[in-house]
Amino acid sequence: GDSVTQMEGPVTLSEEACLTINCTYTATGYPSLFWYVQYPGEGLQLLLKATKADDKGSNKGFEATYRKETTSFHLEKGSVQVSDSAVYFCALSTNKGAQKLVFGQGTRLTINP
Amino acid sequence: ETGVTQTPRHLVMGMTNKKSLKCEQHLGHNAMYWYKQSAKKPLELMFVYNFKEQTENNSVPSRFSPECPNSSHLFLHLHTLQPEDSALYLCASSQDPGAYTEAFFGQGTRLTVV
């Protein structure tokens, strides 16, 4: 079945460091890919998305590129802030009669000042 | 009000209690979902409703009973739960079940079964 695999956390970085959170997927067909973020005590919020190969999603300084050849959608940010501390979820969406999101296990990110 | 609203935010219930979780979306979406988020596990899709009809039940035990009276409201009725059912229950909605649109999530109900 469809699945998403993220790098295990937790990840701890200093402010202004570079961030990469790896995400790979397995899916039949051509899924859409998403990164969601969950701040403490909150639900999930969409961070960015890409709907076809080579698309790049970007938001709030974060970027991810849909790589069909490597089935990857790695999340990157050049300079992280303390406010980026959260749990990040990679997800894919397939349309098999009804839209369904499949999530990775989440990566907890902590940014220290 | 905007987005997806879940009530209550926190719930503590005994194993013999009956309670219900409520979700309401003000986005005009046609699909609604229940997810379970347990510690150290991926989000688990529980149920999917499209245009008020249940289209997916992901092998969820019968002690969880969903209800979708209209496209804007979704309930999760709980009875005779087990301690391992303690988790964050997230409701989500999306615009069109046939399109690759993102889901919008509520803040969740933190459930503790004692």
Side-chain angles (χ1 to χ4, degrees):
Chain A
D2 301 334
S3 66
V4 175
T5 302
Q6 289 180 235
M7 65 183 288
E8 287 198 26
V11 175
T12 302
L13 297 172
S14 297
E15 206 165 20
E16 299 183 5
C18 293
L19 169 71
T20 299
I21 300 178
N22 291 336
C23 171
T24 57
Y25 67 90
T26 302
T28 54
Y30 302 96
S32 289
L33 301 174
F34 306 87
W35 277 100
Y36 282 82
V37 59
Q38 185 177 32
Y39 298 103
E42 302 292 323
L44 277 69
Q45 303 173 28
L46 179 68
L47 180 60
L48 53 85
K49 69 176 182 180
T51 58
K52 60 183 188 297
D54 300 325
D55 269 3
K56 177 187 284 188
S58 61
N59 185 26
K60 299 182 181 180
F62 291 90
E63 292 183 340
T65 301
Y66 190 144
R67 301 284 188 200
K68 186 165 175 276
E69 63 276 12
T70 55
T71 62
S72 66
F73 193 55
H74 305 320
L75 183 68
E76 299 176 324
K77 186 173 185 180
S79 177
V80 293
Q81 307 299 314
V82 172
S83 57
D84 294 327
S85 299
V87 182
Y88 292 81
F89 294 89
C90 185
L92 65 82
S93 171
T94 61
N95 182 12
K96 298 178 180 176
Q99 189 205 24
K100 187 169 74 171
L101 278 169
V102 176
F103 286 87
Q105 72 270 33
T107 302
R108 181 174 298 279
L109 173 67
T110 301
I111 307 300
N112 294 321
Chain B
E1 292 199 33
T2 58
V4 180
T5 304
Q6 290 186 243
T7 54
R9 291 291 306 277
H10 301 273
L11 178 63
V12 179
M13 60 186 288
M15 289 189 283
T16 58
N17 291 159
K18 289 185 180 181
K19 297 286 185 183
S20 295
L21 311 185
K22 179 182 176 183
C23 176
E24 186 173 2
Q25 57 98 359
H26 307 277
L27 301 168
H29 290 170
N30 295 311
M32 296 188 77
Y33 313 79
W34 280 116
Y35 283 86
K36 177 183 178 182
Q37 186 178 25
S38 305
K40 300 182 180 179
K41 291 176 69 175
L43 268 75
E44 301 171 62
L45 178 66
M46 300 175 72
F47 302 103
V48 180
Y49 277 81
N50 293 310
F51 298 98
K52 302 187 298 177
E53 299 297 321
Q54 186 182 122
T55 56
E56 181 121 4
N57 177 338
N58 202 21
S59 303
V60 180
S62 60
R63 57 186 184 269
F64 295 90
S65 175
E67 178 190 3
C68 188
N70 53 61
S71 293
S72 299
H73 294 85
L74 184 65
F75 296 89
L76 188 63
H77 303 301
L78 315 171
H79 67 97
T80 59
L81 294 191
Q82 304 299 311
E84 60 264 29
D85 296 322
S86 299
L88 181 68
Y89 289 84
L90 291 165
C91 173
S93 69
S94 64
Q95 183 173 8
D96 183 344
Y100 294 102
T101 55
E102 66 267 26
F104 292 77
F105 284 80
Q107 293 179 301
T109 295
R110 174 71 62 186
L111 174 67
T112 304
V113 181
V114 297

